């Protein structure tokens, strides 16, 4: 079964407030078997407009990635994230 991924691009407006999101999202990520492949760090914009924080998270399947995103745990964390950051998340099935 192909793995599933979250690709998130984020501009954090309030780093202190964003820490609350990170803590709140942790239980959802643990529950659905998330593995962080890239989390912040150096990046280059090869095309288009870049955001300051880029994250790639691997899940056992696309269904697990979707279930994590839609879980009550993550939805509560998302409400915190949206107060302190702007961005987008795309769910992708692996090859």
């Amino acid at each position: 079964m192909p793995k599933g991924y979250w690709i998130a691009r984020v501009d954090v407006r309030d780093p202190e407030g964003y820490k609350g999101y990170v803590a709140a999202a942790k239980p959802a990520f643990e529950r659905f078997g998330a593995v962080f492949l890239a989390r912040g760090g150096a990046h280059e914009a090869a095309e288009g407009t870049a955001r300051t924080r880029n994250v790639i998270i691997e899940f056992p399947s696309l269904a697990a990635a979707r279930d994590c995103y839609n879980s009550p745990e993550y939805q509560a964390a998302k409400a915190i994230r949206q107060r302190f950051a702007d961005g987008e998340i795309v769910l992708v099935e692996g090859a």
Side-chain angles (χ1 to χ4, degrees):
M1 172 183 303
K3 297 197 179 212
Y5 299 87
W6 284 21
I7 301 172
R9 301 173 54 240
V10 181
D11 286 327
V12 177
R13 294 187 311 274
D14 180 343
E16 284 303 309
Y18 192 79
K19 289 178 185 178
Y21 159 72
V22 172
K26 185 176 179 181
F29 293 142
E30 289 175 347
R31 178 176 165 207
F32 291 96
V35 176
F36 285 81
L37 303 179
R39 191 177 208 171
H43 66 279
E44 296 178 21
E47 291 185 31
T49 304
R51 292 208 180 254
T52 57
R53 184 171 177 79
N54 300 283
V55 181
I56 302 171
I57 308 170
E58 181 181 83
F59 291 86
S61 66
L62 181 59
R66 185 181 311 109
D67 290 345
C68 181
Y69 183 81
N70 292 319
S71 70
E73 300 95 332
Y74 188 75
Q75 290 301 301
K78 180 177 109 171
I80 297 169
R81 175 178 50 81
Q82 290 177 330
R83 290 180 18 220
F84 301 110
D86 299 309
E88 51 275 329
I89 297 173
V90 178
L91 308 180
V92 179
E93 185 175 60

